[in-house]
Amino acid sequence: MHLPGLLSACALYVVMISAIVMTMLGNLVVIISIAHFKQLHSPTNFLILSMATTDFLLSCVVMPFSMIRSIESCCCCDIMLCTTSIFHLCFISVDRYYAVCDPLHYVTKITISLVGVFLLISWSIPIFFAFGLVFSELNIIGAEDFVAATDCTGLCVLIFNKLWGVLASFIAFFLPGTVMVGIYIHIFTVARKHARQIGTGSMMKHIGSESKMKASTKTESKATKTLSIVMGVFVLCWLPFFVLTITDPFINFTTPEDLYNIFLWLGYFNSAFNPIIYGMFYPWFHKALRTIVSGMIFHPDSSNLSIFPACA
């Protein structure tokens, strides 16, 4: 390899390894924090925990191999963990809908058992969907010549024909993404309405004192804004890749490999962004991180530590 090519490959390895380490460590902190601290055991956080597990697995079992394939000129597409993430985000939006739009019945409607059903759906459907496509080979009907010409020894290459390029992107991304955006738009509409009602005192008879109502609304509003940012970043990161998945079969798979890899890794970087967003907007994340790094997590009864601000 010539010196310029070697330097370019080294630079790519540095960037991609940094992304992998950030994704792995950041999501590991989220996993440990929510699993360990009892104060964080809530339906919303269990969904966040499962999504962080998805991102952690992505950093362990997908990104390292994709890094080698990208740099050594052999490409691959993995849709399962992305679909798992967007299903989690979709169910989180449902959780936020009840927390903000129907707070009086939230505890009775969003139960731990229901969250278990959400998690089962979020993991099982993407697994059956992704592996069903691979083993049935429905996705390569009509694209056999391109598949045969693709030289990726010992590697499962997920290539979509015209029909499944559209269907897979619609099922895995555009349909749940549209549902999420619609739910969050409705949530923010209702939140603004609640804020106006609080100002006029028209809801005091439902939730008691004004201070309690304002504190509850502020907490739920902040959580909803944070999770909507997570959703928005996810959509922005993965949208180019799924648009490419749809268009590539219609232009006879002529998309430049470098562009494909850029869009794919933009999607992967989303898994590193989530812990950063939590760190920016969740005070409990700061406290949990300090507890883990300082070793206090190994102290007896550390799971019962209070990690929320005193005013929360």
Side-chain angles (χ1 to χ4, degrees), residues 93 96-97 99-103 180-198 203 217 220-221 224-225 228:
S93 69
R96 291 295 87 203
Y97 171 82
V100 175
C101 301
D102 193 11
M180 282 191 298
V181 171
I183 289 176
Y184 275 109
I185 289 174
H186 183 67
I187 287 173
F188 286 120
T189 301
V190 172
R192 284 197 297 269
K193 181 181 177 182
H194 284 182
R196 289 195 297 268
Q197 290 175 330
I198 292 169
M203 295 184 66
T217 303
E220 294 299 347
S221 177
T224 301
K225 286 180 180 178
S228 65

Side-chain angles (χ1 to χ4, degrees), residues 43 56 72 109 152 198 273:
F56 178 75
E72 303 301 332
K109 289 186 176 181
C152 283
I198 292 169
F273 293 152

Side-chain angles (χ1 to χ4, degrees), residues 1 62 68 70 85 90 122 125 166 168 172 197 200-201 262:
M1 183 183 291
V62 174
I68 296 172
S70 297
S85 288
C90 200
S122 296
I125 291 180
V166 174
Q197 290 175 330
T200 60
I262 289 171

